[in-house]
Structure formats: structure tokens, C-alpha cells
Amino acid sequence: MRTTSLMALPSSVLAGIFLFALTSAQKDNGNECSCFLTNGSSSGYFSYHRFHDFRNVAGASATPPTVISNENNATEAFATSDFFLSDAWQNDWQIQNWNNSDSMSASGATVLMINSANNIYIEQSNNTAPDYTSYLTFRTSRLPGFQSAAEVDSNEKNFQYLSARFLARVIGAPGACAGMFTYLPNDNPQLVQESDIEILTAGPRDMVQYTNQPSNDKNGNAQPQATVNGTNPGGRDWTLWNTYRLDWMPKMTSWYVNGESVANIAFQVPRDPSGLIMNMWSDGGVWTGNMSLYDEAYLQIQWIEVVYNTSGPFAGTSKRDEHGAGGLLEKRKGTPGCMAVCSVDADVNVTGTPVLLYNNTGVALTWRGEGTGWLAWIPLVLAGSALFGYL
Ligand SMILES: *[C@@H]1O[C@H](CO)[C@@H](O)[C@H](O)[C@H]1NC(C)=O
Ligand SMILES: *[C@@H]1O[C@H](CO)[C@@H](O)[C@H](O)[C@H]1NC(C)=O
Ligand SMILES: *[C@@H]1O[C@H](CO)[C@@H](O)[C@H](O)[C@H]1NC(C)=O
Ligand SMILES: *[C@@H]1O[C@H](CO)[C@@H](O)[C@H](O)[C@H]1NC(C)=O
Ligand SMILES: *[C@@H]1O[C@H](CO)[C@@H](O)[C@H](O)[C@H]1NC(C)=O
Ligand SMILES: *[C@@H]1O[C@H](CO)[C@@H](O)[C@H](O)[C@H]1NC(C)=O
Ligand SMILES: *[C@@H]1O[C@H](CO)[C@@H](O)[C@H](O)[C@H]1NC(C)=O
Ligand SMILES: *[C@@H]1O[C@H](CO)[C@@H](O)[C@H](O)[C@H]1NC(C)=O
Ligand SMILES: *[C@@H]1O[C@H](CO)[C@@H](O)[C@H](O)[C@H]1NC(C)=O
């Protein structure tokens, strides 16, 4: 029985809802859209869109922050510029300053690694490309006493399925690993859930590693079905700007570089709500290798675009919450829901700005028995905006 439908709301309320959605979610560049469609074999629909743009940040520095060689000062370092103190950054991301002292022996690290806010900065581009004057840099640097590293975690840790794209390059000395990945931590390394893009600066310059962690079993043996050592399309160097795309979907994780498929892994696909992480690191272990003293390496990112669904509390939970908002997601499954379908791939002319593909607004109203389904989209979009601090 249909007791509620959007049609039943007074039009003034309706107008208010739309206006609210349009004015409160500017940053997602998709404010006319009620869902977002991705292309390729891992194509799907998602409720939310975010575009993080580091290409033309005013006041970007031409000079990287001086490396801090003291362990405590590196740990306690302040943000390198006001950019990282802005709400726009702080609502979404958290710069890390943990170190690996507790986990060195278990992880096979041979070098103390300290994450420092001093290694994360907006850098001015030194070339004359018209479309960007700056980018976000993650630096890692080998110092006499330790390896200084860089990591940023998303505040939102309830992503459940997403398509994330990074326009990125990696430059610098061998012995480091650039990572862009989904992450659900667990004290037991065998229970960590993670879909990875990893670029090893000691590796061949056209190869990138894609993995659904854990890549080793509990006896330490490699699980070959968990990982693909992929070649960039056209053998392009990772020192050049490439768009890396990670599609975490219910039954498979798929990866693309510059729009071309490079890996599909159906083994050990992450199941539970997770966060997103970017980092540049090294610990002298077998995976990264060692960096030579005073060498540096960098992960640089022009922009990040993410379309995603969520489940459970914003800050995540290490256990699945069957009674939480997860139940809501279940309820939403199978509803047509989406009034204005936007593409983040096909027909997109302006990077980061989704394009309207279909407008079902009139159509949905005539569908029988589906009224509550599509009503559900609007509050969810608003809830997403609220969580990102727009309301
Ligand atoms: C979708 O169609 C409805 C009804 O025709 C219209 O009011 C609305 O502005 C359209 N939305 C977009 C994003 O074009
Ligand atoms: C998705 O669309 C973009 C833009 O049209 C295109 O460059 C890319 O190759 C497509 N990817 C797949 C996997 O079809
Ligand atoms: C650490 O930072 C403090 C405060 O800025 C400074 O006084 C001190 O000299 C620094 N220590 C080292 C070893 O650089
Ligand atoms: C490294 O982390 C430990 C906790 O894991 C902390 O006690 C220690 O102070 C940290 N070291 C530095 C240099 O900050
Ligand atoms: C420009 O910046 C890149 C990346 O940081 C660096 O490798 C290169 O040496 C710089 N070129 C000049 C001329 O400064
Ligand atoms: C990926 O394959 C290349 C070429 O065979 C090899 O040199 C490299 O070590 C491999 N990378 C990893 C992480 O296994
Ligand atoms: C890195 O160097 C340390 C000594 O500083 C050594 O113990 C370790 O085996 C090296 N790691 C690799 C992967 O070569
Ligand atoms: C995202 O949520 C919508 C609404 O429930 C659903 O239709 C869609 O299939 C979901 N996408 C994925 C990849 O699960
Ligand atoms: C994208 O650009 C093409 C070529 O200029 C144009 O035909 C098309 O209408 C544009 N699409 C949108 C959505 O603006």
C-alpha cells in the first residue's frame, strides 16, 4: 500500500527540498544528480559524488617544506599551509602522524617509519600546463634515524562500494611505495579488508600492483589470486600523470588506468564498510625495499573523484552492524530511487562535473508501488551533505 509519495508533498515543501539540495552540496559538482553511473565492466549506480581538486590552489608553494630530521618534531609537525586547516580539507581528510614502532617486528620492517604532516603539501607546478598550477604532494624521505613518510585517511569510513579515481604520478628514488586504497583495519592481519593500488619506486616504471589484501595467508605464503602486477596501457610510465581508477563492487574489485581495464580480482573482495587512504612510505621491508640515505620519493595528485554508497555510521565500525543504517541500505536495494541519472564517465567534458544522462522525474511518479523507493533518495543525499559538513 502506498501511504507516502513525493507527489503527496506540497509543492512548496518539494521546492524547498530541491533548493536545499542544490545549495548545500556545491562541492560535489553533481547537485542536479540523484545518482551517478560509472562505465566499464564494473559499471554501477552510486548515491554520492565528491570531487577533490588540487589543481589551482591559490598560494601554492614553489618550495617544498624543509624536511624535519628530528623524530619528535616530525611527529608533531604542523600542517604545511592553511589549505590543510580549511574546513574543505578537514571535513574529509585526516593527516596521519602514527609510527611503526609497535609493528616493526611483526611486519618485517627494518626501519622506523614516522608519518609527518610536514610531508604533505600543496606544490606549485613548475611547468606551463594550462589546466593545473598546483597539486597535492606526499613525500617520503630517508633520514639517518628513520624514514619520514606521509599518509592521509578519509574521515568517512562507511564507504560500501565505490569507484575512486586519482589523477596521479609518482617520482623519485627507489625503495618507496605509493598507495591509494580502501581500508578496513583489524588487529588480525588476516582479517584486514583492503583493495589497493600500489606503485613501487624500485619496480619497473610501467607496472602497478593491484591487490585485495591480505596478499599472504596466515603461514606467510603468497596468495597469487589476491594480486595482479599490471602493465600500464601503452607501457606508460607512472612518472607521468595517469588516471588510476579503483572500482570496489560487491563481487569484484576492478582497476583501470586511463580508462582501460588493467585488473579484475574476485578473490577476497572487501565486504564491510571501509575508508580511503593515500600514502607514500617505506619501511626497509621486502615489499618497499630500502631507500638510500637522504633519498626522497613523491606521490603527487591533481584530483580525486569518488562516487560511492555508504552503510553504517560515518566513522565506520570494525564490526558489521546489522541493526544500523546497513538495514536501511538493504531496504533501498532494488528501488528505482534515482530521478536524475548522471554519468561520471561517458559524455563528461569537464573533469569532475557529472553529466545528466536521464531525467526520470516525471516517469517515477507514474510507477506503481515504487513511491517510497524514490522518496528515499532525497533525504539520503541530504544526510550525505550533512555528514560532510554542508548543512
Ligand atoms: C527533471 O525533470 C523535472 C520535471 O520535468 C524538472 O523539473 C527538473 O528540473 C529536471 N531535472 C534536471 C536536472 O534537469
Ligand atoms: C569510460 O568513459 C571514458 C570517457 O568517455 C572513457 O575514456 C573510458 O575509456 C571508458 N572506460 C571504460 C572502461 O569503458
Ligand atoms: C624541534 O622543534 C623545536 C620547536 O620548534 C625546536 O626548538 C627544536 O630545535 C627542534 N629540535 C630539533 C632537533 O630540530
Ligand atoms: C611512536 O609511536 C609510539 C606509540 O605507538 C609513541 O609512544 C612514540 O612516542 C612515537 N614516537 C615518536 C617519535 O613520536
Ligand atoms: C619540476 O618539478 C618536477 C617534479 O617535482 C621535478 O622533477 C623537476 O626537476 C622540476 N623541474 C625544474 C626545471 O625545476
Ligand atoms: C612485476 O613484474 C615485473 C616484471 O616481471 C617485475 O620486475 C616486478 O618485480 C613485479 N613486481 C612485483 C611487486 O612483483
Ligand atoms: C634494509 O636495510 C637494513 C639495514 O639497514 C637491512 O637489515 C634490511 O635487510 C634491508 N632491507 C631490504 C629489503 O633489503
Ligand atoms: C548504491 O545504492 C543504490 C540505492 O540503494 C543502489 O541502487 C545501487 O545499486 C548501489 N550501488 C552499488 C554498487 O551497490
Ligand atoms: C561535450 O562536448 C561535445 C563536443 O564539444 C559536445 O558535442 C557535447 O554536447 C558536450 N556535452 C555536454 C554534456 O556538454
Side-chain angles (χ1 to χ4, degrees):
M1 189 178 66
R2 291 174 71 182
T3 52
T4 328
S5 86
L6 202 51
M7 199 166 46
L9 293 173
S11 60
S12 58
V13 171
L14 207 56
I17 289 173
F18 280 114
L19 190 65
F20 205 23
L22 287 173
T23 54
S24 63
Q26 288 152 1
K27 202 174 94 194
D28 73 10
N29 293 343
N31 49 28
E32 294 183 331
C33 310
S34 27
C35 70
F36 302 89
L37 178 62
T38 58
N39 68 357
S41 57
S42 53
S43 168
Y45 293 88
F46 297 90
S47 303
Y48 308 111
H49 173 262
R50 289 292 179 271
F51 185 63
H52 306 278
D53 197 352
F54 311 110
R55 290 175 300 175
N56 293 293
V57 176
S61 173
T63 325
T66 305
V67 172
I68 297 176
S69 56
N70 174 269
E71 296 177 15
N72 291 321
N73 285 7
T75 300
E76 277 146 34
F78 203 57
T80 56
S81 72
D82 286 349
F83 180 85
F84 303 102
L85 303 175
S86 69
D87 286 348
W89 170 268
Q90 293 199 338
N91 285 341
D92 291 351
W93 305 108
Q94 192 184 37
I95 292 176
Q96 302 296 302
N97 70 349
W98 55 268
N99 68 67
N100 67 348
S101 59
D102 293 340
S103 62
M104 277 182 72
S105 55
S107 66
T110 63
V111 177
L112 173 66
M113 180 179 82
I114 297 176
N115 287 294
S116 174
N118 187 54
N119 293 324
I120 293 169
Y121 47 96
I122 300 290
E123 188 166 13
Q124 196 179 87
S125 169
N126 63 9
N127 68 25
T128 53
D131 50 341
Y132 71 100
T133 58
S134 63
Y135 42 78
L136 172 64
T137 295
F138 295 72
R139 172 177 65 191
T140 188
S141 176
R142 182 70 156 93
L143 299 166
F146 67 105
Q147 179 86 31
S148 197
E151 179 172 309
V152 164
D153 295 9
S154 65
N155 288 330
E156 178 149 24
K157 294 185 171 63
N158 64 347
F159 300 118
Q160 196 179 37
Y161 311 124
L162 56 73
S163 177
R165 297 98 186 281
F166 306 85
L167 179 58
R169 72 179 174 192
V170 174
I171 53 179
C177 178
M180 293 167 272
F181 53 103
T182 70
Y183 190 62
L184 176 64
N186 195 293
D187 289 340
N188 177 350
Q190 286 299 305
L191 298 179
V192 163
Q193 298 179 32
E194 186 174 343
S195 283
D196 292 344
I197 298 167
E198 286 179 295
I199 298 171
L200 290 166
T201 57
R205 288 187 163 203
D206 58 352
M207 303 203 79
V208 177
Q209 199 77 22
Y210 307 102
T211 307
N212 284 341
Q213 297 284 357
S215 57
N216 290 327
D217 68 17
K218 62 180 189 312
N219 301 317
N221 301 313
Q223 306 212 72
Q225 68 274 42
T227 192
V228 168
N229 184 359
T231 304
N232 281 347
R236 262 177 78 86
D237 271 32
W238 35 248
T239 56
L240 303 173
W241 294 109
N242 293 304
T243 304
Y244 297 93
R245 168 176 164 192
L246 182 167
D247 281 13
W248 166 34
M249 297 294 278
K251 293 197 164 58
M252 178 131 74
T253 311
S254 299
W255 291 265
Y256 303 82
V257 175
N258 301 331
E260 290 183 41
S261 172
V262 287
N264 290 291
I265 300 177
F267 176 69
Q268 215 165 239
V269 177
R271 296 173 306 280
D272 298 313
S274 301
L276 258 186
I277 296 181
M278 286 97 65
N279 62 11
M280 190 71 190
W281 62 284
S282 173
D283 66 0
V286 289
W287 177 248
T288 62
N290 279 311
M291 284 193 94
S292 298
L293 196 57
Y294 298 119
D295 270 1
E296 295 183 356
Y298 316 88
L299 165 63
Q300 300 178 330
I301 298 181
Q302 286 190 38
W303 52 256
I304 304 163
E305 186 169 27
V306 192
V307 287
Y308 58 98
N309 283 351
T310 61
S311 179
F314 180 81
T317 162
S318 51
K319 281 186 185 158
R320 198 165 173 73
D321 181 5
E322 300 293 348
H323 306 292
L328 193 65
L329 186 78
E330 289 304 315
K331 218 160 64 186
R332 280 192 283 144
K333 273 186 190 149
T335 62
C338 191
M339 295 179 289
V341 180
C342 290
S343 163
V344 289
D345 292 309
D347 299 334
V348 169
N349 285 345
V350 179
T351 302
T353 304
V355 166
L356 184 67
L357 290 181
Y358 318 106
N359 187 348
N360 295 321
T361 304
V363 181
L365 288 172
T366 66
W367 287 353
R368 299 182 59 154
E370 310 278 27
T372 52
W374 73 283
L375 182 62
W377 283 90
I378 294 164
L380 284 163
V381 169
L382 289 175
S385 302
L387 293 171
F388 274 84
Y390 298 127
L391 300 185

Short mmCIF file of all heavy atoms in Angstrom, two decimals, residues 69-118:
data_model
loop_
_atom_site.label_atom_id
_atom_site.label_comp_id
_atom_site.label_asym_id
_atom_site.label_seq_id
_atom_site.Cartn_x
_atom_site.Cartn_y
_atom_site.Cartn_z
N SER A 69 64.26 16.55 10.55
CA SER A 69 65.08 15.36 10.78
C SER A 69 64.99 14.84 12.21
O SER A 69 65.55 13.81 12.53
CB SER A 69 66.54 15.66 10.43
OG SER A 69 66.97 16.78 11.19
N ASN A 70 64.24 15.56 13.06
CA ASN A 70 64.08 15.11 14.44
C ASN A 70 62.77 14.32 14.58
O ASN A 70 61.72 14.77 14.12
CB ASN A 70 64.05 16.34 15.36
CG ASN A 70 63.73 15.97 16.79
OD1 ASN A 70 62.56 15.98 17.19
ND2 ASN A 70 64.74 15.63 17.55
N GLU A 71 62.85 13.15 15.21
CA GLU A 71 61.70 12.24 15.25
C GLU A 71 60.46 12.87 15.90
O GLU A 71 59.36 12.80 15.36
CB GLU A 71 62.06 10.96 16.02
CG GLU A 71 63.14 10.16 15.33
CD GLU A 71 63.56 8.92 16.12
OE1 GLU A 71 62.82 8.53 17.05
OE2 GLU A 71 64.61 8.35 15.80
N ASN A 72 60.68 13.49 17.08
CA ASN A 72 59.51 14.06 17.75
C ASN A 72 58.94 15.24 16.98
O ASN A 72 57.73 15.40 16.88
CB ASN A 72 59.88 14.50 19.18
CG ASN A 72 60.16 13.29 20.05
OD1 ASN A 72 59.47 12.27 19.94
ND2 ASN A 72 61.18 13.37 20.87
N ASN A 73 59.83 16.05 16.43
CA ASN A 73 59.35 17.21 15.69
C ASN A 73 58.63 16.78 14.41
O ASN A 73 57.67 17.43 13.98
CB ASN A 73 60.50 18.17 15.37
CG ASN A 73 60.93 18.95 16.62
OD1 ASN A 73 60.45 18.68 17.72
ND2 ASN A 73 61.80 19.91 16.42
N ALA A 74 59.10 15.71 13.81
CA ALA A 74 58.41 15.20 12.61
C ALA A 74 57.00 14.72 12.99
O ALA A 74 56.02 15.02 12.31
CB ALA A 74 59.21 14.05 11.99
N THR A 75 56.91 14.03 14.12
CA THR A 75 55.62 13.53 14.58
C THR A 75 54.66 14.67 14.89
O THR A 75 53.48 14.60 14.55
CB THR A 75 55.80 12.68 15.86
OG1 THR A 75 56.65 11.58 15.57
CG2 THR A 75 54.47 12.17 16.39
N GLU A 76 55.20 15.70 15.52
CA GLU A 76 54.34 16.80 15.96
C GLU A 76 54.22 17.94 14.96
O GLU A 76 53.62 18.97 15.25
CB GLU A 76 54.84 17.31 17.32
CG GLU A 76 54.31 16.43 18.45
CD GLU A 76 55.27 16.29 19.60
OE1 GLU A 76 56.00 17.25 19.88
OE2 GLU A 76 55.31 15.20 20.20
N ALA A 77 54.76 17.75 13.79
CA ALA A 77 54.78 18.83 12.79
C ALA A 77 53.37 19.36 12.53
O ALA A 77 52.38 18.61 12.56
CB ALA A 77 55.39 18.33 11.49
N PHE A 78 53.32 20.64 12.25
CA PHE A 78 52.07 21.34 11.97
C PHE A 78 51.77 21.20 10.48
O PHE A 78 52.64 20.87 9.68
CB PHE A 78 52.26 22.82 12.36
CG PHE A 78 50.98 23.53 12.65
CD1 PHE A 78 50.11 23.06 13.62
CD2 PHE A 78 50.65 24.68 11.95
CE1 PHE A 78 48.93 23.73 13.90
CE2 PHE A 78 49.48 25.35 12.23
CZ PHE A 78 48.61 24.87 13.20
N ALA A 79 50.52 21.48 10.13
CA ALA A 79 50.15 21.48 8.71
C ALA A 79 51.06 22.45 7.95
O ALA A 79 51.47 23.48 8.48
CB ALA A 79 48.71 21.93 8.56
N THR A 80 51.36 22.09 6.69
CA THR A 80 52.33 22.89 5.92
C THR A 80 51.72 24.17 5.35
O THR A 80 52.45 25.04 4.90
CB THR A 80 52.91 22.07 4.78
OG1 THR A 80 51.82 21.59 3.98
CG2 THR A 80 53.74 20.91 5.30
N SER A 81 50.39 24.26 5.32
CA SER A 81 49.76 25.51 4.87
C SER A 81 48.32 25.57 5.35
O SER A 81 47.75 24.56 5.79
CB SER A 81 49.81 25.63 3.34
OG SER A 81 48.90 24.73 2.76
N ASP A 82 47.73 26.75 5.21
CA ASP A 82 46.34 26.95 5.64
C ASP A 82 45.37 26.04 4.90
O ASP A 82 44.28 25.75 5.40
CB ASP A 82 45.91 28.41 5.39
CG ASP A 82 46.54 29.35 6.40
OD1 ASP A 82 47.12 28.83 7.39
OD2 ASP A 82 46.49 30.57 6.20
N PHE A 83 45.77 25.61 3.71
CA PHE A 83 44.90 24.72 2.94
C PHE A 83 44.44 23.54 3.79
O PHE A 83 43.28 23.14 3.75
CB PHE A 83 45.65 24.21 1.70
CG PHE A 83 44.83 23.29 0.85
CD1 PHE A 83 43.98 23.80 -0.11
CD2 PHE A 83 44.89 21.91 1.02
CE1 PHE A 83 43.20 22.97 -0.89
CE2 PHE A 83 44.12 21.07 0.25
CZ PHE A 83 43.27 21.60 -0.71
N PHE A 84 45.36 23.00 4.59
CA PHE A 84 45.06 21.80 5.38
C PHE A 84 44.33 22.12 6.68
O PHE A 84 43.98 21.23 7.44
CB PHE A 84 46.35 21.02 5.65
CG PHE A 84 47.06 20.63 4.38
CD1 PHE A 84 48.16 21.33 3.93
CD2 PHE A 84 46.58 19.59 3.60
CE1 PHE A 84 48.79 21.00 2.74
CE2 PHE A 84 47.19 19.25 2.42
CZ PHE A 84 48.30 19.95 1.98
N LEU A 85 44.15 23.42 6.94
CA LEU A 85 43.39 23.84 8.12
C LEU A 85 41.97 24.25 7.74
O LEU A 85 41.14 24.52 8.59
CB LEU A 85 44.09 25.02 8.81
CG LEU A 85 45.54 24.76 9.23
CD1 LEU A 85 46.17 26.03 9.80
CD2 LEU A 85 45.60 23.63 10.26
N SER A 86 41.69 24.30 6.43
CA SER A 86 40.37 24.72 5.97
C SER A 86 39.34 23.62 6.24
O SER A 86 39.68 22.43 6.30
CB SER A 86 40.41 25.01 4.47
OG SER A 86 40.61 23.80 3.75
N ASP A 87 38.09 24.03 6.40
CA ASP A 87 37.02 23.05 6.58
C ASP A 87 36.94 22.12 5.37
O ASP A 87 36.68 20.93 5.51
CB ASP A 87 35.66 23.75 6.75
CG ASP A 87 35.55 24.40 8.12
OD1 ASP A 87 36.40 24.11 8.99
OD2 ASP A 87 34.63 25.20 8.32
N ALA A 88 37.14 22.69 4.19
CA ALA A 88 37.02 21.89 2.97
C ALA A 88 37.94 20.68 3.02
O ALA A 88 37.57 19.59 2.58
CB ALA A 88 37.34 22.73 1.74
N TRP A 89 39.12 20.85 3.58
CA TRP A 89 40.04 19.71 3.72
C TRP A 89 39.69 18.89 4.95
O TRP A 89 39.55 17.68 4.89
CB TRP A 89 41.49 20.21 3.80
CG TRP A 89 42.45 19.14 4.17
CD1 TRP A 89 42.86 18.82 5.43
CD2 TRP A 89 43.09 18.20 3.29
NE1 TRP A 89 43.72 17.74 5.39
CE2 TRP A 89 43.88 17.34 4.09
CE3 TRP A 89 43.08 18.00 1.91
CZ2 TRP A 89 44.65 16.32 3.56
CZ3 TRP A 89 43.85 16.98 1.38
CH2 TRP A 89 44.62 16.15 2.19
N GLN A 90 39.53 19.59 6.10
CA GLN A 90 39.41 18.86 7.36
C GLN A 90 38.10 18.08 7.50
O GLN A 90 38.05 17.11 8.23
CB GLN A 90 39.58 19.84 8.53
CG GLN A 90 41.00 20.38 8.58
CD GLN A 90 41.36 20.96 9.93
OE1 GLN A 90 40.49 21.35 10.70
NE2 GLN A 90 42.64 21.04 10.22
N ASN A 91 37.09 18.50 6.79
CA ASN A 91 35.84 17.73 6.85
C ASN A 91 36.02 16.34 6.25
O ASN A 91 35.33 15.39 6.62
CB ASN A 91 34.74 18.44 6.07
CG ASN A 91 34.22 19.65 6.83
OD1 ASN A 91 34.40 19.76 8.04
ND2 ASN A 91 33.56 20.54 6.10
N ASP A 92 36.91 16.24 5.30
CA ASP A 92 37.01 14.98 4.55
C ASP A 92 38.24 14.14 4.89
O ASP A 92 38.20 12.92 4.74
CB ASP A 92 37.05 15.29 3.04
CG ASP A 92 35.72 15.82 2.52
OD1 ASP A 92 34.73 15.78 3.29
OD2 ASP A 92 35.66 16.26 1.36
N TRP A 93 39.32 14.79 5.28
CA TRP A 93 40.59 14.06 5.37
C TRP A 93 41.30 14.29 6.70
O TRP A 93 41.19 15.36 7.28
CB TRP A 93 41.55 14.51 4.26
CG TRP A 93 40.98 14.40 2.88
CD1 TRP A 93 40.60 15.44 2.09
CD2 TRP A 93 40.73 13.20 2.14
NE1 TRP A 93 40.14 14.94 0.88
CE2 TRP A 93 40.21 13.59 0.88
CE3 TRP A 93 40.92 11.84 2.41
CZ2 TRP A 93 39.85 12.66 -0.11
CZ3 TRP A 93 40.56 10.91 1.42
CH2 TRP A 93 40.04 11.32 0.20
N GLN A 94 42.07 13.30 7.11
CA GLN A 94 42.88 13.46 8.32
C GLN A 94 44.33 13.05 8.03
O GLN A 94 44.60 11.91 7.62
CB GLN A 94 42.32 12.63 9.47
CG GLN A 94 42.98 13.02 10.78
CD GLN A 94 42.53 12.15 11.93
OE1 GLN A 94 42.31 10.95 11.77
NE2 GLN A 94 42.40 12.76 13.09
N ILE A 95 45.23 14.00 8.25
CA ILE A 95 46.66 13.74 8.06
C ILE A 95 47.15 12.89 9.23
O ILE A 95 46.83 13.17 10.39
CB ILE A 95 47.43 15.07 7.97
CG1 ILE A 95 47.03 15.79 6.68
CG2 ILE A 95 48.93 14.83 8.04
CD1 ILE A 95 47.66 17.17 6.51
N GLN A 96 47.92 11.85 8.93
CA GLN A 96 48.35 10.89 9.96
C GLN A 96 49.72 11.24 10.53
O GLN A 96 50.57 11.79 9.82
CB GLN A 96 48.40 9.49 9.35
CG GLN A 96 47.07 9.04 8.77
CD GLN A 96 46.01 8.91 9.85
OE1 GLN A 96 46.20 8.16 10.81
NE2 GLN A 96 44.91 9.65 9.70
N ASN A 97 49.93 10.87 11.79
CA ASN A 97 51.28 11.00 12.35
C ASN A 97 51.67 9.79 13.21
O ASN A 97 52.50 9.90 14.10
CB ASN A 97 51.45 12.32 13.11
CG ASN A 97 50.67 12.35 14.41
OD1 ASN A 97 49.84 11.47 14.65
ND2 ASN A 97 50.93 13.33 15.24
N TRP A 98 51.09 8.64 12.89
CA TRP A 98 51.48 7.42 13.61
C TRP A 98 52.87 6.95 13.14
O TRP A 98 53.35 7.38 12.09
CB TRP A 98 50.44 6.31 13.45
CG TRP A 98 50.10 5.93 12.04
CD1 TRP A 98 49.08 6.44 11.29
CD2 TRP A 98 50.75 4.95 11.21
NE1 TRP A 98 49.06 5.86 10.04
CE2 TRP A 98 50.07 4.93 9.97
CE3 TRP A 98 51.82 4.06 11.39
CZ2 TRP A 98 50.43 4.08 8.91
CZ3 TRP A 98 52.18 3.22 10.36
CH2 TRP A 98 51.50 3.23 9.14
N ASN A 99 53.47 6.07 13.95
CA ASN A 99 54.73 5.46 13.51
C ASN A 99 54.63 3.95 13.67
O ASN A 99 53.71 3.43 14.30
CB ASN A 99 55.91 6.04 14.29
CG ASN A 99 55.87 5.64 15.74
OD1 ASN A 99 56.04 4.48 16.08
ND2 ASN A 99 55.64 6.63 16.62
N ASN A 100 55.61 3.23 13.09
CA ASN A 100 55.51 1.76 13.06
C ASN A 100 56.29 1.08 14.18
O ASN A 100 56.55 -0.12 14.09
CB ASN A 100 55.97 1.23 11.70
CG ASN A 100 57.46 1.45 11.46
OD1 ASN A 100 58.11 2.19 12.21
ND2 ASN A 100 58.01 0.81 10.45
N SER A 101 56.62 1.84 15.26
CA SER A 101 57.47 1.23 16.30
C SER A 101 56.84 -0.02 16.92
O SER A 101 57.54 -0.97 17.26
CB SER A 101 57.80 2.26 17.38
OG SER A 101 56.61 2.76 17.96
N ASP A 102 55.51 -0.03 17.03
CA ASP A 102 54.85 -1.19 17.66
C ASP A 102 54.74 -2.38 16.72
O ASP A 102 54.55 -3.51 17.18
CB ASP A 102 53.43 -0.80 18.11
CG ASP A 102 53.45 0.22 19.23
OD1 ASP A 102 54.51 0.32 19.91
OD2 ASP A 102 52.44 0.91 19.43
N SER A 103 54.81 -2.13 15.43
CA SER A 103 54.52 -3.22 14.50
C SER A 103 55.73 -3.66 13.68
O SER A 103 55.63 -4.51 12.81
CB SER A 103 53.41 -2.79 13.53
OG SER A 103 53.85 -1.67 12.77
N MET A 104 56.90 -3.08 13.98
CA MET A 104 58.06 -3.35 13.13
C MET A 104 58.39 -4.82 13.00
O MET A 104 58.56 -5.33 11.90
CB MET A 104 59.29 -2.59 13.65
CG MET A 104 59.35 -1.16 13.17
SD MET A 104 60.82 -0.29 13.73
CE MET A 104 62.08 -1.07 12.69
N SER A 105 58.46 -5.51 14.15
CA SER A 105 58.89 -6.91 14.05
C SER A 105 57.83 -7.74 13.34
O SER A 105 58.16 -8.56 12.47
CB SER A 105 59.21 -7.47 15.44
OG SER A 105 58.08 -7.30 16.27
N ALA A 106 56.57 -7.49 13.66
CA ALA A 106 55.50 -8.28 13.03
C ALA A 106 55.43 -8.04 11.52
O ALA A 106 55.11 -8.95 10.76
CB ALA A 106 54.16 -7.94 13.68
N SER A 107 55.73 -6.82 11.09
CA SER A 107 55.56 -6.51 9.67
C SER A 107 56.84 -6.72 8.86
O SER A 107 56.83 -6.57 7.64
CB SER A 107 55.10 -5.05 9.52
OG SER A 107 56.14 -4.18 9.96
N GLY A 108 57.95 -7.05 9.53
CA GLY A 108 59.20 -7.25 8.79
C GLY A 108 59.88 -5.95 8.41
O GLY A 108 60.78 -5.93 7.56
N ALA A 109 59.45 -4.84 9.04
CA ALA A 109 60.10 -3.57 8.77
C ALA A 109 61.49 -3.57 9.39
O ALA A 109 61.70 -4.15 10.46
CB ALA A 109 59.27 -2.43 9.35
N THR A 110 62.45 -2.92 8.74
CA THR A 110 63.79 -2.81 9.32
C THR A 110 64.13 -1.35 9.64
O THR A 110 65.19 -1.07 10.16
CB THR A 110 64.87 -3.36 8.37
OG1 THR A 110 64.87 -2.58 7.17
CG2 THR A 110 64.59 -4.81 8.02
N VAL A 111 63.21 -0.46 9.30
CA VAL A 111 63.45 0.97 9.51
C VAL A 111 62.25 1.56 10.25
O VAL A 111 61.10 1.25 9.91
CB VAL A 111 63.62 1.70 8.16
CG1 VAL A 111 63.80 3.19 8.35
CG2 VAL A 111 64.80 1.12 7.37
N LEU A 112 62.51 2.40 11.25
CA LEU A 112 61.44 3.13 11.91
C LEU A 112 60.83 4.10 10.90
O LEU A 112 61.54 4.88 10.28
CB LEU A 112 62.00 3.91 13.12
CG LEU A 112 61.02 4.87 13.82
CD1 LEU A 112 59.89 4.10 14.49
CD2 LEU A 112 61.75 5.75 14.83
N MET A 113 59.50 4.02 10.76
CA MET A 113 58.81 4.91 9.82
C MET A 113 57.89 5.83 10.62
O MET A 113 57.09 5.37 11.42
CB MET A 113 57.99 4.10 8.83
CG MET A 113 57.26 4.98 7.83
SD MET A 113 56.31 4.00 6.66
CE MET A 113 54.82 3.67 7.60
N ILE A 114 58.00 7.13 10.38
CA ILE A 114 57.18 8.12 11.08
C ILE A 114 56.40 8.93 10.06
O ILE A 114 57.00 9.54 9.16
CB ILE A 114 58.06 9.06 11.94
CG1 ILE A 114 58.79 8.26 13.03
CG2 ILE A 114 57.21 10.17 12.56
CD1 ILE A 114 59.76 9.08 13.87
N ASN A 115 55.09 8.91 10.17
CA ASN A 115 54.27 9.75 9.30
C ASN A 115 54.28 11.17 9.84
O ASN A 115 54.12 11.38 11.04
CB ASN A 115 52.84 9.23 9.24
CG ASN A 115 52.76 7.95 8.43
OD1 ASN A 115 52.99 7.97 7.23
ND2 ASN A 115 52.44 6.85 9.09
N SER A 116 54.44 12.13 8.94
CA SER A 116 54.53 13.53 9.36
C SER A 116 53.69 14.42 8.46
O SER A 116 53.74 14.31 7.23
CB SER A 116 56.00 13.97 9.30
OG SER A 116 56.09 15.36 9.57
N ALA A 117 52.97 15.34 9.12
CA ALA A 117 52.18 16.33 8.37
C ALA A 117 53.08 17.23 7.52
O ALA A 117 52.64 17.83 6.54
CB ALA A 117 51.38 17.20 9.34
N ASN A 118 54.36 17.28 7.89
CA ASN A 118 55.31 18.10 7.16
C ASN A 118 55.58 17.56 5.75
O ASN A 118 56.12 18.26 4.90
CB ASN A 118 56.62 18.16 7.96
CG ASN A 118 57.62 19.12 7.40
OD1 ASN A 118 57.29 20.28 7.20
ND2 ASN A 118 58.82 18.64 7.10
#
